Amino acid sequence: PYVSEAEVLWAARYEMARTVEDVLVRRTQVYFRSPDQGAKVAHRVGALLAQELGKPASFGDASAEAFLRLLEDGNQWRKHSP
């Protein structure tokens, strides 16, 4: 599924979303509905959040990287399945 810029901005402005994980898991459900669990849009979501929250770009990058690590950690079991 696709996540729009408007959904990210809404989540930040009106639903107090502060991380990429928060947007993609709890606010938009992309994590559950997308085959890649939101990996492809993580950095874009991070950039939008940083801009909306008045934070430096590094804030968005760090949030996106934390989300991608979460995905990697959560998918470890797939590497060990037959």
Side-chain angles (χ1 to χ4, degrees):
Y2 172 78
V3 61
S4 72
E5 182 175 327
E7 288 175 294
V8 176
L9 298 180
W10 179 272
R13 288 178 191 170
Y14 303 109
E15 297 180 356
M16 302 292 288
R18 294 296 179 257
T19 65
V20 170
E21 177 186 353
D22 198 9
V23 171
L24 296 179
V25 176
R26 290 178 283 283
R27 311 303 174 171
T28 64
Q29 302 284 307
V30 167
Y31 174 84
F32 301 106
R33 299 175 190 264
S34 177
D36 75 347
Q37 297 178 297
K40 291 179 184 172
V41 297
H43 281 283
R44 177 68 180 138
V45 170
L48 289 167
L49 275 176
Q51 183 178 8
E52 179 62 24
L53 300 174
K55 304 278 188 177
S58 59
F59 172 86
D61 292 339
S63 185
E65 289 300 320
F67 177 72
L68 293 173
R69 282 192 303 277
L70 174 84
L71 292 183
E72 181 66 25
D73 292 346
N75 288 321
Q76 287 296 318
W77 65 271
R78 295 176 195 241
K79 295 178 182 177
H80 302 292
S81 331

